[in-house]
Amino acid sequence: MSSLLATGRTHDCGSLRREHVGNEVVLFGWVHRRRDHGGRIFVDLRDRAGLTQVVFGPDIDEGAHALADQLRSEFCIGIRGTVVDRGENENPNLPTGAIEVEAHTLEVFSTSATPPFVIADDDRLDVHENLRLAYRYLDLRRPCVQRNFLLRSRLYQITRSVLTRHGFWELETPYLVKYTPGGARNFLVPSRLNPGTFYALAESPQIYKQLFMVAGFDKYFQITRCFRDEDLRNDRQPEFTQIDVELSFATPERVFAPIEELVAEALRELAGHELELPLPRLSWREAMERFGTDKPDLRFGLELRDVTEVTRGCGFRVFESAPLVKGLCVPPEHAAPLTRSQLDKLTDFVKKREHGGAKGLAWARVEPDGSLKAPFAKNLSPEATAGIVRVMEAEPGSVLLFVADDFDTVHTALSALRLHLRDLLGLLDEASPSWRLAWVTEFPLFERTDDGRYVSAHHPFTSPLPEDVPLLDTDPASVHAQAYDLVMNGNEIGGGSIRIHRADVQAKVFEVLGLDEEEKQQKFGFLLEAFRYGPPPHGGIALGLDRIAMLLAGAESLRDVIAFPKTQRGHDLMTGCPTPVDEAQLAELYITHRPLPGRDDT
RNA sequence: GGGGCGGUAGUUAAGUUGGUUAUAACGCCGGCCUGUCACGCCGGAGGUCGCGGGUUCGAGCCCCGUCCGCCCCGCCA
């Protein structure tokens, strides 16, 4: 073994200060940058803790100086030397800038080929993502990337600390689970021992954690991987990490309390932000009405206003004939960028299918005398004009933007427009990031499919609000659930529910979902059987750990907080997976595949 | 399945109406340099313009197809 390795390092590259001057130290790390002045060679030595300037010179050590001439970027080296005060030459940009290490010994542990991109260009992430992913281990060397993973590591520790303090047991559930169609698409794992049958990779530990409650474990949590074979997005990976939580004798408030403490501590420790508890609660209905979405960004105003009533019989047919007319009021101080051509762009924006596909955007400016200047204004009755100005809380100089359509279209379009205006008009202060969290509660229990069937909005074990139970018979669409999401800055970071523990209510829900006895037994027989033996009332939540880490890190993508992520097409560019497999292994599993699409082998 | 953006030197980008030898910065290689810290100076190497086909006297540029990456819809909590 080399002498320095045997000695071991005395410090990391981020910790030396003026108080260490005179110490003999051993540092290990990578050559971040090298500046060769002939008689002086400076090396910024990097490890995960920081940078330390190391100096080589013939007067310090002739051999080390000669060897340092051969150093190049990303060589992995060890040095022994003396900490000296830099005095006038202090570098204020480095935490270790007050000192440098005069190297008496240099050992090259390993040389490095010229990396495909420069690791030291740390603050610039502008390397193509495919290259970053192909050389992920080098990408992960960058200090700015490493910071995200330190944050992520601390998030695990905070989670464990807070939840353990609250009496939760950390437990594990299987990844190889029973295949249940419906919900997210499963990854399948063939069973060699049972040819022709498959496990599924768990989409979530949902059913197992409920069985923990039946088992009397009372309070459970797990930081666990979940697998979903669905299309990827900026904030969606096929494997991701949840903080999964379940507790017995639960009410929504009893679920919220420890979770609020967890996010508060995470924000305090990782973002330096003191969260005010309890967090605001917002019913789903209120969130939709005020923001047009179930995950409102509460960092700015610009709330939706309903002018349906005041525009009945107003003289403008578009408004009169629509089931719902709502609008946004851009106050005068932000309205300047909204020129005529910009308003035309906003009209195109709301017409796009992904922004709701509204038929148009009606806009108006409020004149100093309180009248409206707009293409449609001449049609408006004075009463309607006054009503609009009042409801919109408009003042002279405000710009009003209206969408008239059905409930879904109006809210989708105005919600998208609201976020668009947030960015267009700079409604957030980028310099001082703010953190606005809220619980969105009382989601609808069911959603209607195109062919009129009911499906669970959350999952089939979600409990209705007690007062809505009778509606299961008469009007399932209006039943609200004891289901909730946790929303942070317009992102859903968690969701959960109180589960059904009463057999009669569960039976009713299955009835609405159209599950017959056979399907029930086939899909959930074991859970229903378990629920015959005194299940406690229970409920829980799952938090998206990756998303929380992404937001706290200020990252743009989930990929920035997952060490080895997949591309949008599900590829790992470093290993090249997924790949075909050996025919022999397929044969062992009794698997053949159909002709592949788009490959004409003939 | 659909819509949009992108792919030019190791990297990031520029490349005019289709026209001479495809540019720049950084990086890399060699040399010089004892106070730099994005060191500096001098010199040099480096190109399958993603891939395939087409139009043309001539294609990085136009057309068709295809692969890859990113963003979005559908899908997915």
Side-chain angles (χ1 to χ4, degrees):
Chain A
M1 201 189 319
S2 80
S3 61
L4 286 185
L5 194 56
T7 308
R9 55 186 157 190
T10 59
H11 298 78
D12 61 44
C13 292
S15 55
L16 291 176
R17 297 291 184 273
R18 195 159 268 136
E19 71 202 66
H20 299 99
V21 166
N23 288 14
E24 170 154 306
V25 298
V26 175
L27 300 178
F28 297 159
W30 285 264
V31 174
H32 189 68
R33 278 202 179 86
R34 171 176 163 277
R35 293 174 294 278
D36 185 349
H37 289 236
R40 273 282 179 278
I41 296 173
F42 300 97
V43 167
D44 292 334
L45 191 63
R46 184 193 69 234
D47 66 13
R48 66 180 195 185
L51 293 174
T52 299
Q53 174 160 290
V54 178
V55 197
F56 298 91
D59 50 331
I60 300 166
D61 185 285
E62 203 153 340
H65 178 253
L67 189 55
D69 185 55
Q70 294 163 37
L71 289 179
R72 294 293 181 272
S73 290
E74 301 309 317
F75 280 25
C76 183
I77 65 172
I79 63 106
R80 186 204 308 273
T82 308
V83 180
V84 298
D85 197 319
R86 291 183 59 174
E88 292 291 298
N89 286 322
E90 176 164 354
N91 182 348
N93 301 319
L94 284 184
T96 60
I99 55 89
E100 63 190 4
V101 178
E102 292 188 337
H104 309 122
T105 309
L106 166 63
E107 267 187 45
V108 176
F109 295 137
S110 64
T111 62
S112 171
T114 301
F117 50 87
V118 181
I119 281 107
D121 282 349
D122 172 40
D123 40 348
R124 287 179 301 191
L125 276 179
D126 57 356
V127 178
H128 283 187
E129 189 135 5
N130 49 3
L131 199 69
R132 295 179 56 194
L133 292 174
Y135 294 90
R136 186 60 165 172
Y137 41 86
L138 296 180
D139 194 37
L140 294 175
R141 261 189 204 175
R142 304 174 184 220
C144 69
V145 178
Q146 290 196 340
R147 272 194 291 277
N148 292 350
F149 289 91
L150 172 59
L151 183 149
R152 188 181 171 113
S153 172
R154 293 178 66 192
L155 183 55
Y156 297 131
Q157 301 316 318
I158 289 166
T159 300
R160 295 203 158 96
S161 146
V162 172
L163 293 179
T164 303
R165 193 193 309 151
H166 275 88
F168 289 86
W169 288 359
E170 183 170 4
L171 302 166
E172 291 188 54
T173 53
Y175 286 147
L176 297 175
V177 304
K178 181 184 165 73
Y179 169 68
T180 49
R185 202 175 282 115
N186 291 108
F187 285 100
L188 297 178
V189 181
S191 167
R192 178 182 56 84
L193 298 175
N194 306 277
T197 66
F198 296 82
Y199 303 99
L201 290 180
E203 299 167 24
S204 78
Q206 183 59 40
I207 288 176
Y208 288 98
K209 69 175 174 178
Q210 293 192 241
L211 293 171
F212 278 154
M213 298 303 102
V214 178
F217 283 4
D218 205 290
K219 292 177 168 184
Y220 137 94
F221 84 100
Q222 180 178 198
I223 298 175
T224 189
R225 207 60 76 77
C226 302
F227 306 88
R228 293 178 189 164
D229 188 6
E230 296 293 345
D231 285 9
L232 287 79
R233 283 283 191 287
N234 185 28
D235 60 351
R236 277 166 22 196
Q237 281 275 312
E239 46 183 325
F240 61 99
T241 304
Q242 278 189 350
I243 301 168
D244 196 49
V245 175
E246 193 81 3
L247 59 150
S248 296
F249 315 108
T251 60
E253 290 299 326
R254 280 180 209 140
V255 176
F256 295 170
I259 301 303
E260 291 192 347
E261 213 169 298
L262 165 54
V263 292
E265 185 152 333
L267 276 164
R268 185 184 308 124
E269 295 294 317
L270 306 178
H273 177 80
E274 197 60 39
L275 205 57
E276 203 175 308
L277 299 183
L279 297 174
R281 278 89 165 122
L282 210 58
S283 73
W284 176 84
R285 185 86 212 173
E286 187 183 353
M288 292 305 290
E289 285 176 353
R290 289 173 57 194
F291 304 99
T293 173
D294 57 11
K295 46 177 183 176
D297 188 342
L298 301 173
R299 289 174 295 176
F300 65 105
L302 211 63
E303 294 189 17
L304 280 56
R305 293 291 153 81
D306 188 339
V307 294
T308 313
E309 287 308 312
V310 297
T311 54
R312 293 295 88 156
C314 67
F316 181 38
R317 284 207 41 154
V318 171
F319 283 4
E320 287 175 328
S321 60
L324 188 64
V325 186
K326 297 182 76 165
L328 302 172
C329 173
V330 180
E333 63 267 27
H334 291 117
L338 297 179
T339 59
R340 178 61 200 259
S341 74
Q342 188 57 251
L343 289 166
D344 287 343
K345 282 185 194 161
L346 296 183
T347 304
D348 292 339
F349 179 88
V350 298
K351 282 179 169 175
K352 286 192 175 171
R353 194 160 50 94
E354 64 261 38
H355 301 141
K359 288 189 274 296
L361 183 70
W363 55 267
R365 287 180 202 283
V366 182
E367 300 284 28
D369 64 358
S371 64
L372 295 182
K373 186 183 178 195
F376 63 86
K378 58 181 178 297
N379 300 324
L380 284 186
S381 65
E383 299 76 31
T385 302
I388 288 172
V389 170
R390 175 171 45 80
V391 171
M392 299 302 294
E393 295 182 37
E395 36 185 332
S398 297
V399 170
L400 309 179
L401 304 164
F402 300 99
V403 173
D405 218 305
D406 59 45
F407 183 93
D408 284 349
T409 305
V410 165
H411 288 117
T412 306
L414 286 179
S415 171
L417 183 61
R418 180 173 174 267
L419 297 181
H420 185 61
L421 290 171
R422 171 193 68 190
D423 301 331
L424 187 73
L425 305 178
L427 300 181
L428 296 181
D429 181 5
E430 296 293 339
S432 59
S434 58
W435 304 95
R436 295 295 299 272
L437 288 85
W439 294 101
V440 177
T441 64
E442 299 179 10
F443 276 70
L445 187 60
F446 301 110
E447 285 168 3
R448 295 295 280 272
T449 60
D450 293 338
D451 51 355
R453 289 179 303 112
Y454 290 101
V455 293
S456 295
H458 188 57
H459 59 60
F461 314 110
T462 304
S463 172
L465 288 178
E467 60 267 34
D468 284 359
V469 168
L471 293 173
L472 287 171
D473 291 314
T474 57
D475 184 13
S478 66
V479 175
H480 293 277
Q482 296 193 69
Y484 32 80
D485 278 357
L486 181 57
V487 175
M488 174 156 79
N489 291 357
N491 296 273
E492 179 205 330
I493 58 168
S497 64
I498 302 301
R499 328 298 180 188
I500 299 170
H501 70 281
R502 275 170 50 185
D504 59 330
V505 175
Q506 187 68 68
K508 269 279 181 316
V509 168
F510 281 149
E511 196 183 308
V512 174
L513 293 173
L515 284 182
D516 60 29
E517 193 58 35
E518 193 185 342
E519 264 181 299
K520 272 190 282 190
Q521 288 308 320
Q522 197 247 324
K523 284 185 175 175
F524 309 117
F526 58 99
L527 183 69
L528 298 177
E529 174 69 10
F531 275 19
R532 293 176 60 221
Y533 302 97
H538 61 286
I541 189 169
L543 302 173
L545 183 138
D546 315 272
R547 283 188 188 172
I548 295 172
M550 174 178 92
L551 293 169
L552 290 178
E556 312 252 307
S557 162
L558 225 49
R559 293 183 299 277
D560 293 333
V561 295
I562 293 176
F564 298 103
K566 307 281 190 286
T567 68
Q568 193 161 44
R569 288 175 50 88
H571 292 144
D572 176 345
L573 296 181
M574 185 179 65
T575 65
C577 82
T579 63
V581 299
D582 288 347
E583 281 303 320
Q585 182 150 9
L586 288 178
E588 194 172 43
L589 298 165
Y590 294 88
I591 287 177
T592 59
H593 62 68
R594 300 177 186 209
L596 298 173
R599 309 248 171 95
D600 194 358
D601 291 332
T602 56

